[in-house]
Amino acid sequence: MSAAAWEPQPDLDIDGRWFRLVTDGTEEAPYGQYHCENDLVWAEFYPGGFLRSGRLVGRRQPDGAIRAAYCLLGTDGELITGECTSVPEVFRGTLRIADHWERADGSTGVSYIEEIAPPKAIKEA
């Protein structure tokens, strides 16, 4: 593995950390905060771009991946549900999570969220 590759971090503590969806920069990206208690993981997501609000709950696996279910409410009123396997990774000191998701409608993909500084104020959904 090259020094520039993203590397999974099985023991990485993401409790209390804030993340923002990596986008192409054309719109404001949603963001959220992750919490952990033993193997329990949950997160709240706040408005940005297409997202009005969202929640995630799951379990941390022995390899550090998170198996979770999520429910999102879009700004257009669409309800998006599904499951994901999220892998915390580090690259040049930056923490990101690779979310390998499958929605209830059968669509699949990979999204990335990167750690951000805690927001000064949280927008209400």
Side-chain angles (χ1 to χ4, degrees), residues 2 6 23 25 29 36 66 77 90 93 104 107 117 119 121:
S2 73
W6 291 90
T23 66
C36 302
I66 301 161
V90 174
S107 59

Side-chain angles (χ1 to χ4, degrees), residues 68-79:
Y70 61 87
C71 184
L72 309 172
L73 180 62
T75 54
D76 62 358
E78 180 182 9
L79 185 61

Side-chain angles (χ1 to χ4, degrees), residues 42-104:
W42 69 99
E44 300 91 22
F45 304 110
Y46 299 94
F50 70 92
L51 185 68
R52 183 173 171 197
S53 184
R55 303 288 183 270
L56 172 142
V57 64
R59 291 185 62 208
R60 189 88 180 239
Q61 305 300 299
D63 66 358
I66 301 161
R67 293 271 308 133
Y70 61 87
C71 184
L72 309 172
L73 180 62
T75 54
D76 62 358
E78 180 182 9
L79 185 61
I80 303 166
T81 61
E83 295 184 13
C84 61
T85 299
S86 303
V87 182
E89 306 169 322
V90 174
F91 177 67
R92 296 184 184 162
T94 301
L95 173 59
R96 82 171 183 178
I97 296 176
D99 287 322
H100 303 264
W101 49 265
E102 181 173 2
R103 292 183 179 170

Side-chain angles (χ1 to χ4, degrees), residues 2-33:
S2 73
W6 291 90
E7 298 179 14
Q9 302 291 312
D11 298 322
L12 192 59
D13 182 12
I14 60 171
D15 186 43
R17 293 186 183 211
W18 289 87
F19 294 87
R20 180 177 305 279
L21 181 66
V22 176
T23 66
D24 63 8
T26 60
E27 64 182 346
E28 182 182 357
Y31 62 98
Q33 185 178 30

